[in-house]
Amino acid sequence: MLADLTDLTMVEAARRLCAGSLRARDYLEAHLAVIARHDTDLNAFLNVMADSARHQADLVDARYRNGDRIGPLHGIPVAIKDIIDIEGQPTTCHSSVSPIAKAVHDASVIGRLRAAGALIIGKTALHEFATGGPAFDLPWPPARNPWNRDHHPGGSSSGSAVAVAARMAPAALGTDTAGSVRHPATACGIVGFKPTAATINTKGVFPLSWSLDHLGTLTRSVEDSAILFRCLCDPGIAFDFETNSRDNTLRGKRIGILGEFSEGAMPEISTAFATALDLLRDLSAELVPLTVPPLSAYTGCGRLILQAEAYALHKPWLEARAEDYSQRGRTRLLAGRTIDAATYINAQRLRRTLTEKMQAALSTVDAAVCVSSLMLPCRIDDPAEIDRTYDQQARTPFNLAGLPAVALPIGFAGNGLPIGMQVVGAAGTDAKVLSVARVYEIAAAWPTRPPLLDHSLPEGNPYASPT
Amino acid sequence: MEKWSLLARLSPEDRVFLKRNADAQAVFVARWLADLPATLRPASHTDAR
């Protein structure tokens, strides 16, 4: 019974909570039970806030009994990347540097979640300060991929993605500076959405790169992402998901293909992407090849800007207490120390042009698609392979350009690990991007439940495609 | 640069990563920033002249 509750999507649970057929406390306890059972193996959470979440759930249930439905997230547990302030809690950023011992205020997004009726279930693991990759020389272990614990779960919002994929929470918040929501979503077989830049207030979120940082959502369905985004976005942001989602086909939709962004992908990923394009075609979309500058221009420009801005932020700590960083985090943050002002400014100038080119191409279509990761997640204990494969991705262009991008599953590799693609669009077309992704998601109907959660199943992955 | 005390505390692995990153940065700068391709120049880049 409890396990079944955790398989509900956020929207399905919200309907039951709203109808009074499910109590917030019961729904929460189901998730806390999964955390108790699986998180010693998966390390999704740094801090499970069970007591305060139970208190919130009881308040929500009491208000419901009095005829008061708080909001669209009434009784929904949400996990929070531990780079986002929650009043009275430390914000560790998964680092011994632990910049905030006790947050004085909730981040803006936490206030919005509470106002919508959400329960804050805990704070999740990340890559140190949202950069670098999994590290084993920190006080907390890195999160593990629920589809195969020996492999990394992507990052940097790794714990948030693991928590949602493993049914520890129906939804989570992450941050996305160079793909940090969409990468773990892809690696863990769920949905990661990074909206148009500056649509969600980042006050109370520890920065990595001030000009690239975005907040984003991790859920198990596109519709869940849409509902969550609506609760989080700033007042006045246009977002009409319902009107854009009336049709379950893509008839009359022009979908661009960013084919060059998929070059160099592993064969299994290329094959899955080609199959996804076939399905989009079957759904009556008109597929249109798009030409934009090379992926290497976007990723190189994004990396340089990120490294320069992150170093500017961390320089005092790197000089005073370098030993408090992980080896991986320290070197990634130090990488910006040799970037001079002229180089940084020229990168920002190039960025403007790259953004104009991307925006112009995407303005000719309803949405566009490309792969998410070019490589499957490698073993978590293989640092050389992590270095080689981690940045092989097509996500950074949409941080650089500030455009909406959602990553969603498109199948499984022979080793059972999930594969994903992105649906992206011009600035401000968040609803249209999500509606296209939703149509694909419903038609494809990929499973999102990692077999690890089912102890009754035999060894191996029933969702793996034949090799 | 070596006068900065932190660099003396870097491990061999740190130095390998930083060297590789610096090389990649140099390639990017030479390809995309040193002489911005004409097709990627912002309109204002030429208008201002």
Side-chain angles (χ1 to χ4, degrees):
Chain A
M1 172 60 183
L2 288 181
D4 292 342
L5 290 179
T6 63
D7 270 333
L8 298 173
T9 66
M10 193 186 86
V11 169
E12 290 165 347
R15 278 193 204 108
R16 292 197 194 186
L17 288 157
C18 181
S21 60
L22 175 61
R23 288 195 320 145
R25 180 64 183 262
D26 292 338
Y27 188 51
L28 172 68
E29 292 296 341
H31 290 94
L32 291 173
V34 177
I35 293 171
R37 184 173 180 188
H38 290 294
D39 205 35
T40 49
D41 292 332
L42 294 175
N43 312 323
F45 282 87
L46 299 183
N47 176 13
V48 180
M49 297 163 57
D51 289 343
S52 65
R54 285 183 172 118
H55 179 65
Q56 293 170 62
D58 291 344
L59 287 176
V60 163
D61 284 332
R63 286 182 64 171
Y64 188 88
R65 284 194 298 276
N66 292 329
D68 183 10
R69 179 174 172 267
I70 298 174
L73 303 180
H74 179 103
I76 300 292
V78 180
I80 308 296
K81 183 177 184 177
D82 194 15
I83 198 168
I84 300 170
D85 285 351
I86 297 175
E87 183 181 340
Q89 299 291 328
T91 304
T92 69
C93 302
H94 207 135
S95 176
S96 296
V97 175
S98 286
I100 298 167
K102 191 174 184 180
V104 177
H105 302 291
D106 279 341
S108 172
V109 282
I110 299 299
R112 287 178 185 170
L113 287 175
R114 292 192 199 281
L119 318 175
I120 309 302
I121 195 169
K123 305 198 81 177
T124 54
L126 59 147
H127 298 333
E128 187 178 29
F129 285 107
T131 192
F136 290 89
D137 52 349
L138 290 169
W140 309 273
R144 299 272 182 158
N145 194 316
W147 294 87
N148 185 332
R149 289 188 61 254
D150 293 334
H151 289 245
H152 73 73
S156 66
S157 306
S158 41
S160 288
V162 173
V164 172
R167 274 59 179 168
M168 297 171 183
L173 297 191
T175 54
D176 192 317
T177 302
S180 284
V181 159
R182 290 161 287 151
H183 183 198
T186 298
C188 294
I190 60 170
V191 176
F193 176 51
K194 180 206 81 66
T196 299
T199 52
I200 304 178
N201 190 322
T202 56
K203 187 177 180 195
V205 182
F206 198 87
L208 173 61
S209 169
W210 67 270
S211 77
L212 292 168
D213 287 344
H214 295 65
L215 276 155
T217 61
L218 295 121
T219 59
R220 290 196 301 274
S221 84
V222 173
E223 188 180 12
D224 287 357
S225 292
I227 303 299
L228 199 49
F229 174 63
R230 179 177 290 115
C231 295
L232 296 172
C233 70
D234 293 347
I237 299 292
F239 183 70
D240 187 359
F241 179 70
E242 284 70 24
T243 302
N244 278 286
S245 300
R246 284 183 186 146
D247 194 353
N248 278 343
T249 75
L250 296 172
R251 188 168 295 108
K253 293 277 196 296
R254 283 166 55 85
I255 307 295
I257 304 171
L258 294 162
E260 193 271 344
F261 281 14
S262 305
E263 286 177 11
M266 292 172 82
E268 286 181 290
I269 295 173
S270 296
T271 301
F273 184 58
T275 305
L277 294 182
D278 287 342
L279 181 52
L280 293 174
R281 211 175 278 114
D282 290 346
L283 289 163
S284 305
E286 178 192 354
L287 300 187
V288 184
L290 294 181
T291 301
V292 293
L295 179 60
S296 60
Y298 287 94
T299 53
C301 190
R303 186 183 305 118
L304 193 147
I305 290 169
L306 189 159
Q307 289 178 343
E309 293 181 357
Y311 178 71
L313 183 72
H314 283 270
K315 183 172 183 282
W317 288 329
L318 286 166
E319 291 177 346
R321 42 191 303 200
E323 293 82 4
D324 286 341
Y325 291 86
S326 69
Q327 188 264 333
R328 182 172 285 275
R330 181 172 60 241
T331 51
R332 271 59 182 178
L333 291 165
L334 275 171
R337 79 194 191 288
T338 54
I339 299 170
D340 61 35
T343 300
Y344 172 76
I345 290 166
N346 280 332
Q348 288 285 12
R349 291 172 63 213
L350 175 65
R351 175 188 188 176
R352 187 174 66 176
T353 311
L354 294 172
T355 299
E356 288 168 356
K357 299 279 181 191
M358 181 67 81
Q359 175 73 16
L362 293 176
S363 296
T364 64
V365 292
D366 291 290
V369 291
C370 62
V371 299
S372 179
S373 294
L374 301 178
M375 303 280 162
L376 292 167
C378 65
R379 288 184 62 91
I380 198 169
D381 58 356
D382 187 345
E385 192 62 2
I386 288 173
D387 282 348
R388 189 183 74 81
T389 61
Y390 211 75
D391 290 332
Q392 301 294 310
Q393 45 88 5
R395 293 175 285 264
T396 302
F398 310 104
N399 296 85
L400 204 66
L403 306 179
V406 59
L408 72 165
I410 58 168
F412 295 88
N415 64 3
L417 290 171
I419 298 171
M421 74 170 176
Q422 296 178 94
V423 182
V424 304
T429 63
D430 302 72
K432 204 182 276 189
V433 163
L434 288 174
S435 69
V436 168
R438 173 188 160 274
V439 172
Y440 170 86
E441 176 189 63
I442 291 170
W446 291 106
T448 64
R449 184 175 177 83
L452 172 86
L453 303 180
D454 299 314
H455 292 310
S456 59
L457 288 176
E459 296 250 332
N461 185 342
Y463 304 139
S465 58
T467 50
Chain B
M1 192 178 300
E2 291 297 335
K3 69 183 179 184
W4 186 25
S5 61
L6 171 59
L7 292 186
R9 306 204 298 270
L10 294 178
S11 70
E13 292 80 11
D14 290 350
R15 290 172 183 277
V16 167
F17 170 82
L18 290 170
K19 169 73 167 59
R20 198 170 58 233
N21 185 78
D23 290 347
Q25 251 176 30
V27 168
F28 172 76
V29 168
R31 169 74 178 83
W32 292 105
L33 299 185
D35 183 18
L36 201 62
T39 53
L40 289 181
R41 282 182 198 140
S44 58
H45 183 81
T46 46
D47 294 348
R49 292 183 175 185

